[in-house]
Amino acid sequence: MSERLVVIGADAAGMSGASQARRMRGAHDLEIVAFERSTWVSYSACGTPYFVGGYVPRVEDLIARTPAEFAARDIDVRIRHEVTAIDAAARRVTVRDLEHARDLTLDYDALLYATGARPRRPAIEGAELAGVHELHTLDHALALRRVVEARPRAAVIVGGGYIGLEVAEALMHEGIATTVVTSPAAVLDPQLDTDMGERVVAYMREQGIAVETGLRIACLAGADGRVTGVDCQADGQSARFPADVVVLGLGSVPEVRLAEAAGIPLGESGAVSIDDHMRTGVEGVWAAGDCAEAYHRISGRPVNFHLGTIANKQGRIAGSNLGGGDEAFPGVLGTAITKVCDLEIARTGLTEAAARDAGFDVIAETFDSTTTAGYWPTAEPMTMKVIADGANGRLLGAQIVGGSGAAKRIDAVAMALWNEMTVEAMVNVDLSYAPPFSGVWDPVLVAARKAADARARN
Amino acid sequence: MSERLVVIGADAAGMSGASQARRMRGAHDLEIVAFERSTWVSYSACGTPYFVGGYVPRVEDLIARTPAEFAARDIDVRIRHEVTAIDAAARRVTVRDLEHARDLTLDYDALLYATGARPRRPAIEGAELAGVHELHTLDHALALRRVVEARPRAAVIVGGGYIGLEVAEALMHEGIATTVVTSPAAVLDPQLDTDMGERVVAYMREQGIAVETGLRIACLAGADGRVTGVDCQADGQSARFPADVVVLGLGSVPEVRLAEAAGIPLGESGAVSIDDHMRTGVEGVWAAGDCAEAYHRISGRPVNFHLGTIANKQGRIAGSNLGGGDEAFPGVLGTAITKVCDLEIARTGLTEAAARDAGFDVIAETFDSTTTAGYWPTAEPMTMKVIADGANGRLLGAQIVGGSGAAKRIDAVAMALWNEMTVEAMVNVDLSYAPPFSGVWDPVLVAARKAADARARN
């Protein structure tokens, strides 16, 4: 008799896990059933802002695989099916068939909990008004695209994180007057240090995106049930930003409600606690992706990042182990990249602020350079910040803001960070050079040398 | 009394060394005199093809620092001064002042031999004809730029190396019908494996650059003292490629004649043998750059690459040690990057062919992907080849050919190679992802996984 794997959540982590388990074990040996409460499976959540902005014309372009394609690989994906309870002792899930409004139960031998994250929704007066949107799912993207096509006059994005910035670019790209309001002193906090985030703010303003930092959202104003603006406060002053569309981009939280109810232990980050094989604290239950923790290789702490890269890797490793393999997940650095218009932004490891909070004796050096040889006709500015441990020179993190070709350099730094290199050891690494690509000393090497020099001076 | 450092050759290695020695020791303590036989110092040799092609309009743009700027830093650079002999026992050089046609001698305490490389010039009948050029120095670039501005009808580039390809692009960019003829089966041999070089050939032909491979040059044909074409042979057949300008790009050899005459030992590569502190086998004599060897971290052999990256690093380390420091050069991987029109090309470590020659049990996997998420509007093809040691999984090298953003990914691979990672360990490294930059699994990770899977199958 074959075993049954049940997967909760049919997106990056869940379907990576299902696919990998299937690669390792045949259909006669392992039945795989995945439940998805939405109508969409296995899509690129990171691509949704670009669908909103019209860069990616068809929503189908964002879909990696359909339920039919999974079916052809003997993976039974049931959309519009929401798992409502896990009985871990009985190894049984209760599932609501949303289409037919009925419940069913299904026994499992192994369960992969891959419910992802949901938008953070602090109580904001007016959040229920028409014209207030968020962007977390493909359905949200479809709704927001319809709004864009109806040509609103003015949009306000509440929140300066990745989604906020990507939506701001999308709306500006479509010719909509766009304002970003955010409470920290700069955008992309805490992904970037404030000094680097301020460079992004300056660029966005140059591009015609209004950015208002240091503002606390008081409420959303409305008339006749429709949003008309965002009321903010700072230093006792208040300001209203008129808008006929508001997008809330206030981050996301791990979707752990079902796990909590089932007694699956959460970790200090608030996400499901897992070991390096993706096993939870409950026998037969595994977890992966945005709902689960990951070991941070630099801080040594469990963290909960919501990144497709981590979800895919954790899902694949869960699938390997569910399929009878023995693979450990080596942890994360928090490497991420995005762009706003033509400004590229990337980060890895700890920021200067996070490194100080973690108690490191921090060296932080910022270096202004160009994306190519300085004399190359398409040279654009790039700024790189390197954070190192003053005690032993070990690289702790880096951030890059710059023109075309700047940001993917973060991967070379991430590879150095992964290998626990010191900034001193990085200085002479044999990286590539030709005038259309960099100066003879790539900015990665120069930034490392600046940090090494700063250490030598101390 | 202050010591005196004499530098032979005032380009990348020599002036990096002089500058670093000066940073470490004041002018009262160390006198620095650099002799340069040409009229140019400290320029970007890698930028010269782009001056020829008109991308970089002013030759001054290629000059990092002038003799006057060095003088302001207490470094005495004497152009048009050719060192003609080294008396290592007496620690004295004989120098020809080319401007005034007279000789002088100068004693030194330390000598930095940084003579660079010179073009390889095999005996080819007709090489002395007018209209036959090479591109090794800034003077060559100025001459070739004048030729381009005179609008020749047809150019033939003899040689398919970096310089050959960059000059071919430059000439095509200026609207000159251009043919590259080369003896290997593809271009960029042996920097790339033939399968990867063939992709470059196919692209160049699409761009309208004729590429003729597998041809032996018989002679250059001429009339009235001017070149009229290139005669080639293959398989007993002969062919003539008409040309009113011919550029010979047949590689370069280390400039070691002066060292040989002075009894400074050469290594197995034919370049000056040095230790990891850049010391030659003769007391008081140091060497760096194209004229010197470097330790190859993968093959474990001394090699002689002519790359600005290595010259700058070796020069800087020589300067540190000459200045009283204690810095070891950790070796090279042979990382290099270039482009032809919009095709980016990069490589690091050993090719498949070189790895086989070195006796490795070779795993080689090639992976076709895109430079961004597949659905992103500017996605372009990229191909990555990974070479690994079948015995233990250790990464040995990689090659990349592809569209915008493809090639600088080699730096992440170089960083992995530097740290002696296995392809298995690379699979889960936390590299960056967003749709405008890559798929969720960066091609670097997928290529590593393909190699790991190939090992698992074996």
Side-chain angles (χ1 to χ4, degrees):
Chain A
M1 202 179 91
S2 82
E3 293 184 356
R4 181 184 292 140
L5 167 64
V6 166
V7 178
I8 310 180
D11 205 344
M15 298 320 292
S16 289
S19 299
Q20 181 66 9
R22 174 55 73 232
R23 272 179 218 113
M24 301 192 64
R25 292 176 68 180
H28 59 284
D29 187 36
L30 181 72
E31 180 190 354
I32 305 178
V33 183
F35 294 110
E36 168 58 43
R37 64 182 172 189
S38 83
T39 53
W40 305 101
V41 304
S42 199
Y43 67 89
S44 168
C46 304
T48 56
Y50 304 108
F51 173 75
V52 172
Y55 298 90
V56 176
R58 301 169 341 125
V59 76
E60 292 75 18
D61 292 333
L62 299 182
I63 298 183
R65 271 189 206 90
T66 62
E69 290 172 292
F70 283 113
R73 300 165 73 179
D74 293 311
I75 297 171
D76 179 6
V77 179
R78 305 195 197 165
I79 61 170
R80 302 273 290 141
H81 279 69
E82 179 167 14
V83 176
T84 54
I86 302 166
D87 183 341
R91 298 207 179 196
R92 179 176 300 150
V93 291
T94 306
V95 186
R96 182 74 178 166
D97 174 349
L98 300 172
E99 200 66 30
H100 303 98
R102 62 190 174 200
D103 290 319
L104 58 108
T105 60
L106 193 69
D107 294 344
Y108 64 80
D109 298 286
L111 181 72
L112 176 56
Y113 188 88
T115 51
R118 61 193 156 88
R120 205 164 68 83
R121 293 186 184 112
I124 298 178
E125 189 190 325
E128 75 296 344
L129 291 164
V132 179
H133 290 261
E134 61 190 3
L135 180 55
H136 187 76
T137 67
L138 212 44
D139 285 325
H140 293 153
L142 287 162
L144 202 48
R145 180 65 199 165
R146 283 190 296 273
V147 169
V148 166
E149 287 173 350
R151 323 299 319 159
R153 282 190 310 271
V156 172
I157 317 292
V158 180
Y162 293 120
I163 293 289
L165 266 53
E166 288 162 5
V167 171
E169 172 183 350
L171 299 186
M172 202 209 65
H173 182 248
E174 291 287 359
I176 299 161
T178 301
T179 302
V180 174
V181 298
T182 189
S183 53
V187 296
L188 292 172
D189 183 307
Q191 282 79 28
L192 300 186
D193 283 311
T194 301
D195 57 328
M196 295 296 276
E198 283 171 346
R199 292 166 191 260
V200 180
V201 170
Y203 173 85
M204 291 173 72
R205 289 175 177 157
E206 281 168 24
Q207 298 299 307
I209 301 173
V211 183
E212 303 286 344
T213 60
L215 291 183
R216 195 175 63 74
I217 309 303
C219 68
L220 305 185
D224 303 327
R226 282 204 60 84
V227 74
T228 56
V230 178
D231 286 349
C232 297
Q233 290 192 324
D235 304 331
Q237 306 274 335
S238 63
R240 170 166 296 185
F241 300 95
D244 42 359
V245 54
V246 170
V247 182
L248 300 178
L250 294 164
S252 47
V253 293
E255 179 56 277
V256 295
R257 291 174 294 191
L258 202 53
E260 254 187 312
I264 298 167
L266 307 185
E268 63 181 69
S269 74
V272 176
S273 178
I274 50 176
D275 69 11
D276 66 359
H277 279 56
M278 311 290 108
R279 287 180 291 241
T280 71
V282 169
E283 196 68 28
V285 182
W286 312 62
D290 292 0
C291 61
E293 293 193 325
Y295 168 77
H296 195 292
R297 291 172 66 95
I298 309 304
S299 71
R301 308 298 311 167
V303 291
N304 176 234
F305 296 144
H306 302 159
L307 290 166
T309 46
I310 299 173
N312 273 275
K313 290 187 182 83
Q314 286 190 330
R316 187 174 171 280
I317 284 179
S320 281
N321 294 324
L322 285 161
D326 177 15
E327 268 198 79
F329 184 59
V332 303
L333 303 170
T335 312
I337 189 169
T338 189
K339 72 178 193 70
V340 183
C341 304
D342 291 327
L343 187 74
E344 302 185 356
I345 304 154
R347 54 95 62 224
T348 190
L350 303 183
T351 58
E352 180 182 358
R356 288 195 195 286
D357 285 350
F360 287 100
D361 168 22
V362 173
I363 296 275
E365 287 290 314
T366 302
F367 170 61
D368 289 315
S369 178
T370 49
T371 51
T372 65
Y375 59 78
W376 187 252
T378 63
E380 292 181 74
M382 71 170 276
T383 302
M384 186 157 172
K385 179 170 183 172
V386 164
I387 297 99
D389 183 344
N392 55 22
R394 189 173 154 189
L395 179 69
L396 296 176
Q399 297 157 57
I400 299 173
V401 172
S404 179
K408 255 294 184 181
R409 281 176 160 89
I410 205 71
D411 287 352
V413 186
M415 200 63 92
L417 195 54
W418 190 269
N419 286 288
E420 305 184 4
M421 290 182 84
T422 62
V423 287
E424 286 81 3
M426 287 173 70
V427 169
N428 286 304
V429 175
D430 193 3
L431 301 187
S432 63
Y433 154 65
F437 299 98
S438 68
V440 68
W441 294 92
D442 189 273
V444 167
L445 304 179
V446 184
R449 195 203 300 161
K450 297 245 172 214
D453 287 349
R455 270 194 83 216
R457 282 194 305 271
N458 285 3
Chain B
M1 203 181 88
S2 82
E3 291 185 357
R4 181 184 293 143
L5 167 64
V6 166
V7 179
I8 310 180
D11 206 347
M15 297 321 291
S16 289
S19 299
Q20 181 66 9
R22 172 57 72 233
R23 272 180 217 113
M24 301 192 64
R25 291 175 68 181
H28 59 285
D29 186 35
L30 181 71
E31 179 190 355
I32 305 178
V33 182
F35 294 110
E36 168 58 43
R37 65 182 172 189
S38 83
T39 52
W40 306 101
V41 304
S42 199
Y43 65 91
S44 169
C46 304
T48 56
Y50 305 107
F51 172 75
V52 172
Y55 299 89
V56 177
R58 301 171 338 127
V59 75
E60 292 75 19
D61 292 334
L62 300 181
I63 297 182
R65 270 189 208 93
T66 62
E69 289 172 292
F70 283 112
R73 299 165 74 181
D74 292 311
I75 297 172
D76 178 7
V77 179
R78 306 195 196 165
I79 62 170
R80 303 272 289 141
H81 279 70
E82 180 168 13
V83 176
T84 53
I86 302 165
D87 182 341
R91 299 208 179 194
R92 178 177 301 150
V93 291
T94 306
V95 186
R96 183 76 178 164
D97 174 349
L98 299 172
E99 201 66 28
H100 303 97
R102 62 189 174 201
D103 290 320
L104 58 108
T105 60
L106 194 69
D107 293 344
Y108 62 79
D109 297 285
L111 181 72
L112 176 56
Y113 188 88
T115 51
R118 61 193 156 90
R120 206 164 68 82
R121 293 187 184 112
I124 297 176
E125 189 191 325
E128 76 295 344
L129 290 163
V132 180
H133 290 263
E134 59 190 5
L135 180 56
H136 187 75
T137 66
L138 212 45
D139 285 323
H140 293 151
L142 287 163
L144 202 48
R145 180 66 200 165
R146 283 191 295 272
V147 169
V148 165
E149 288 174 348
R151 320 303 314 160
R153 283 190 310 271
V156 172
I157 317 293
V158 180
Y162 293 118
I163 293 290
L165 265 55
E166 288 162 4
V167 171
E169 173 184 350
L171 300 186
M172 204 209 65
H173 181 249
E174 291 287 358
I176 299 162
T178 301
T179 302
V180 174
V181 298
T182 188
S183 52
V187 295
L188 291 173
D189 182 308
Q191 281 79 30
L192 300 185
D193 284 312
T194 300
D195 58 327
M196 295 295 277
E198 283 170 345
R199 292 167 191 260
V200 181
V201 170
Y203 172 86
M204 290 172 72
R205 288 175 177 157
E206 281 168 27
Q207 298 300 307
I209 301 173
V211 184
E212 303 287 343
T213 60
L215 291 183
R216 195 175 62 73
I217 310 302
C219 68
L220 305 185
D224 302 327
R226 282 204 61 84
V227 74
T228 56
V230 178
D231 286 349
C232 297
Q233 290 192 323
D235 305 331
Q237 306 274 336
S238 63
R240 169 167 298 185
F241 299 96
D244 43 0
V245 54
V246 170
V247 182
L248 300 178
L250 295 165
S252 47
V253 293
E255 179 57 276
V256 295
R257 291 174 293 192
L258 202 53
E260 255 188 312
I264 298 167
L266 307 185
E268 62 180 71
S269 74
V272 175
S273 179
I274 49 176
D275 67 11
D276 67 359
H277 278 56
M278 311 289 109
R279 288 181 288 242
T280 71
V282 168
E283 195 67 30
V285 182
W286 311 64
D290 293 0
C291 61
E293 293 192 324
Y295 169 76
H296 195 292
R297 291 172 67 95
I298 310 304
S299 72
R301 308 296 312 165
V303 292
N304 177 233
F305 296 143
H306 302 160
L307 291 165
T309 46
I310 300 172
N312 274 275
K313 290 187 182 81
Q314 287 190 330
R316 187 174 171 281
I317 284 179
S320 281
N321 294 324
L322 285 161
D326 177 13
E327 269 199 80
F329 184 59
V332 302
L333 303 169
T335 311
I337 190 169
T338 190
K339 73 179 194 68
V340 183
C341 305
D342 291 327
L343 187 73
E344 301 185 356
I345 304 154
R347 54 95 63 224
T348 189
L350 302 183
T351 58
E352 180 182 359
R356 288 195 196 286
D357 286 350
F360 288 101
D361 168 23
V362 173
I363 297 275
E365 287 290 314
T366 302
F367 170 61
D368 289 316
S369 178
T370 49
T371 49
T372 65
Y375 59 77
W376 187 252
T378 62
E380 293 182 73
M382 72 169 274
T383 302
M384 187 159 170
K385 179 170 183 171
V386 164
I387 297 100
D389 183 344
N392 55 22
R394 187 173 155 190
L395 179 69
L396 296 175
Q399 297 155 58
I400 299 173
V401 172
S404 179
K408 255 295 184 183
R409 281 174 160 90
I410 205 71
D411 287 352
V413 186
M415 202 63 93
L417 194 56
W418 190 269
N419 285 289
E420 304 183 5
M421 290 184 84
T422 63
V423 287
E424 287 81 3
M426 287 173 69
V427 168
N428 286 305
V429 175
D430 193 2
L431 300 189
S432 63
Y433 154 65
F437 298 98
S438 67
V440 67
W441 293 92
D442 189 273
V444 167
L445 303 179
V446 183
R449 194 203 302 160
K450 297 247 169 212
D453 288 349
R455 272 194 81 215
R457 283 194 305 271
N458 282 5

